[in-house]
Amino acid sequence: MPHSDRPNRLPPLKALQAFESAARHLSFKLAAEELCVTPTAISHQVKALEDYLGVKLFHRLTRSLRLTGEGEAYARLVIQGFQKLAEASNVLGSDEVKGELVVSTTTSFAGQWLAHRLPEFLKEYPGLSVRILSSDTVTDFARDGIDVAIRYGFGEYKDFHAAWVLDDFAAPVCTKEISAQLQQPSDLLDQPLVNYEWSRFSKIDPSWAKWFHAAGVKDVSSSVISTFSDAHMCLQAARDGHGVALVSVIAAARDLEHNQLEMPFDIKLKDKSYYLVCPPANFAQAKVRVFQEWILAQADLFRDSEIGLRVLDGGTG
């Protein structure tokens, strides 16, 4: 029966849940994995909802799924409705800082900046345990069971709670022995250069060509460049004295602080920034709020530290 004949009744909740998940993923298969049912069950529930409403919600293509115009409008409201339900449920226990906190972030940030600071957080909140999921691909909060993420980007997180954590820059780093041989930026042309191109690298990201341009070095054709897809590999190559690496100053900060590496020149390229991001419903949880308070305080301490004042000061666009 079409919805106009049932003005005071909600559609079946299971059908709404199946539609909400399928609309977010644009996939019956992924929705089925999230809800622990079969794709056929999701398809049947969506069809039942379409029959109930009297409108078609999806275009079912051969290898893909696409929302209709009515489906897009309905999905926006239904997804918001489920977020409100989650938020209402979270508020009931929102004052308790306990359980497991699942944090997603980049491999570089997790290993080089966050991990060695976490023990202080856990001392402050002994009722919490923390699980770090490190990946350079964007994860899904609901599907992957993530409470909060530290994401690397430009702050464009519509419909999410977001808080700026740290800006990042790219700069050359090397051993003390190599640094002693470098008097001016052009001296780098006599050194093996290590380049970092992560899995989502694009033309807008920092590169040696951009750095040399910022340093006023014209002829870079003679430089020898090795490229790695992992920041840790770049840093390890630099530690081992295999060359000069152009890397994130956030990733290199601990090595610089412990004098394992040096930054021979203060010329830096502005890169993306780190943001704490989560669905609004997740931020209603006390464990997420205290984690944000803690990590923003840690970021302030880092910015005001001797190494932070140097590596985060200024930079070239």
Side-chain angles (χ1 to χ4, degrees), residues 192-267:
L193 302 181
V194 178
N195 198 36
Y196 171 45
E197 291 188 5
W198 65 320
S199 59
R200 295 164 61 200
F201 183 86
S202 70
K203 291 181 179 180
I204 66 172
D205 290 310
S207 65
W208 274 113
K210 290 181 181 179
W211 189 89
F212 278 121
H213 178 76
V217 180
K218 306 283 184 197
D219 180 17
V220 298
S221 59
S222 60
S223 59
V224 178
I225 298 179
S226 299
T227 300
F228 295 97
S229 62
D230 184 276
H232 176 74
M233 294 168 65
C234 293
L235 288 167
Q236 190 60 54
R239 288 187 208 108
D240 291 340
H242 296 323
V244 183
L246 183 69
V247 294
S248 152
V249 296
I250 298 295
R254 200 177 189 198
D255 287 306
L256 294 169
E257 189 175 11
H258 293 163
N259 297 315
Q260 291 180 293
L261 293 173
E262 293 191 357
M263 200 168 77
F265 305 105
D266 284 333
I267 301 166

Side-chain angles (χ1 to χ4, degrees), residues 79-304:
I79 290 171
Q80 289 174 11
F82 272 87
Q83 288 175 343
K84 289 294 183 184
L85 286 172
E87 185 174 349
S89 300
N90 289 335
V91 164
L92 292 177
S94 63
D95 292 332
E96 297 184 79
V97 183
K98 65 179 184 179
E100 182 181 61
L101 178 71
V102 182
V103 181
S104 168
T105 190
T106 64
T107 303
S108 173
F109 190 80
Q112 302 300 126
W113 197 90
L114 180 61
H116 65 279
R117 288 177 167 84
L118 273 178
E120 291 299 318
F121 176 69
L122 295 173
K123 281 182 185 178
E124 192 172 344
Y125 299 99
L128 269 180
S129 63
V130 176
R131 183 156 59 100
I132 303 295
L133 302 180
S134 61
S135 173
D136 289 336
T137 59
V138 177
T139 49
D140 183 276
F141 286 94
R143 185 186 68 231
D144 300 320
I146 294 164
D147 294 309
V148 64
I150 308 298
R151 290 189 170 166
Y152 197 50
F154 297 107
E156 298 168 352
Y157 302 108
K158 186 181 177 182
D159 299 326
F160 286 90
H161 168 81
W164 170 70
V165 179
L166 284 167
D167 287 334
D168 196 14
F169 299 84
V173 297
C174 59
T175 61
K176 182 178 180 180
E177 291 74 20
I178 292 178
S179 181
Q181 303 172 38
L182 305 173
Q183 302 302 313
Q184 54 190 3
S186 59
D187 292 341
L188 284 168
L189 298 176
D190 298 324
Q191 299 290 334
L193 302 181
V194 178
N195 198 36
Y196 171 45
E197 291 188 5
W198 65 320
S199 59
R200 295 164 61 200
F201 183 86
S202 70
K203 291 181 179 180
I204 66 172
D205 290 310
S207 65
W208 274 113
K210 290 181 181 179
W211 189 89
F212 278 121
H213 178 76
V217 180
K218 306 283 184 197
D219 180 17
V220 298
S221 59
S222 60
S223 59
V224 178
I225 298 179
S226 299
T227 300
F228 295 97
S229 62
D230 184 276
H232 176 74
M233 294 168 65
C234 293
L235 288 167
Q236 190 60 54
R239 288 187 208 108
D240 291 340
H242 296 323
V244 183
L246 183 69
V247 294
S248 152
V249 296
I250 298 295
R254 200 177 189 198
D255 287 306
L256 294 169
E257 189 175 11
H258 293 163
N259 297 315
Q260 291 180 293
L261 293 173
E262 293 191 357
M263 200 168 77
F265 305 105
D266 284 333
I267 301 166
K268 300 181 291 291
L269 299 176
K270 179 66 181 74
D271 206 344
K272 302 179 182 71
S273 299
Y274 287 99
Y275 293 85
L276 180 143
V277 181
C278 67
N282 289 18
F283 193 66
Q285 301 177 74
K287 62 182 181 180
V288 175
R289 296 198 303 273
V290 298
F291 180 74
Q292 172 177 295
E293 182 180 355
W294 172 81
I295 200 168
L296 295 185
Q298 290 295 312
D300 286 341
L301 289 172
F302 176 70
R303 272 189 294 272
D304 291 338

Side-chain angles (χ1 to χ4, degrees), residues 68-83:
T68 63
E70 294 88 347
E72 286 186 5
Y74 194 55
R76 281 195 295 271
L77 295 174
V78 170
I79 290 171
Q80 289 174 11
F82 272 87
Q83 288 175 343

